[in-house]
Amino acid sequence: MAGTGEGEICLDLAQHPVNFMRGYLDDEARNAEATHGGLYHTGDVATVDERGYITFVGRTDDVFKASDYKISPFEVESVLVEHPAVLEAAVVPAPDSVRLAVPKAYIALAPGHEASDDTALSILRYAREHLAPYQRVRRIEFIELPKTISGKIRRVELRMRELEIAESPRSSKQEWWDTDFPNLRRTPPS
């Protein structure tokens, strides 16, 4: 990444970075993929502004397109966890017949909150008020998030789950869609 804009963070291998790994053990294909073009490709996407500040966007394998806009799950999740009912959130693309994919939030609820229409509506409303229209969460599912031993959320499992869900009829209480709440589009009275 040079100048301003968005791109993958890469290290110039000609500069011989200190404490850099020699490669993936017994995996030449992965080594070649990670080091092509004389750069080490970190898999992290960031933006650089005119002052040189770098802002993390997400992992290259996590960023997805919805209605031809790039969605950073990290940005959407950062807003969702500000809601008092949300303990943790993971956003993945959900197949959609109109937009090809829409942001779906898998949410672990904070203690004292339960999976209900009211909770889903409150979170969807909060997301609408704090996210750009193209980033809006269109679906919510309340679950215990799958994690690795080190505590990282296993997004790959959630993406696979979305593909399985797309092949089956919609479960009535498993997930909430923004279209379930016609009054969501209306401005609430002040």
Side-chain angles (χ1 to χ4, degrees):
M1 217 167 54
T4 61
E6 181 179 302
E8 182 181 14
I9 297 173
C10 297
L11 302 174
D12 184 353
L13 295 175
Q15 299 297 315
H16 305 289
V18 177
N19 294 329
F20 189 71
M21 68 175 195
R22 290 183 183 201
Y24 293 100
L25 184 62
D26 299 326
D27 196 341
E28 287 305 315
R30 197 166 176 197
N31 285 331
E33 180 183 333
T35 61
H36 71 273
L39 301 171
Y40 173 69
H41 298 265
T42 66
D44 292 323
V45 177
T47 60
V48 176
D49 68 18
E50 60 280 346
R51 295 178 301 177
Y53 288 102
I54 299 172
T55 303
F56 179 75
V57 172
R59 297 280 305 155
T60 53
D61 53 355
D62 290 338
V63 175
F64 62 92
K65 277 191 162 186
S67 296
D68 216 28
Y69 289 97
K70 274 201 227 174
I71 305 291
S72 164
F74 176 77
E75 289 179 36
V76 178
E77 292 160 2
S78 295
V79 168
L80 291 172
V81 297
E82 292 172 355
H83 189 282
V86 179
L87 180 64
E88 291 182 295
V91 174
V92 297
D96 183 78
S97 60
V98 174
R99 297 177 183 94
L100 297 180
V102 294
K104 176 176 177 180
Y106 282 94
I107 294 175
L109 290 168
H113 296 274
E114 61 182 43
S116 68
D117 289 348
D118 289 341
T119 303
L121 176 59
S122 177
I123 294 168
L124 287 167
R125 183 171 283 134
Y126 185 85
R128 278 185 175 264
E129 293 168 358
H130 293 88
L131 292 167
Y134 70 91
Q135 294 175 309
R136 288 181 182 153
V137 174
R138 305 289 178 170
R139 299 177 192 164
I140 289 178
E141 188 169 340
F142 300 112
I143 66 167
E144 185 174 326
L145 297 171
K147 295 186 179 178
T148 64
I149 282 181
S150 63
K152 283 181 65 178
I153 296 170
R154 292 193 37 83
R155 288 179 202 283
V156 67
E157 282 185 34
L158 299 175
R159 287 191 298 263
M160 289 175 16
R161 179 181 171 102
E162 280 310 303
L163 294 176
E164 291 170 9
I165 289 172
E167 295 173 1
S168 61
R170 181 174 171 208
S171 168
S172 60
K173 277 298 172 193
Q174 188 85 1
E175 63 180 354
W176 284 262
W177 293 24
D178 61 347
T179 54
D180 294 338
F181 305 101
N183 60 345
L184 185 61
R185 297 185 190 273
R186 293 188 211 120
T187 308
S190 39

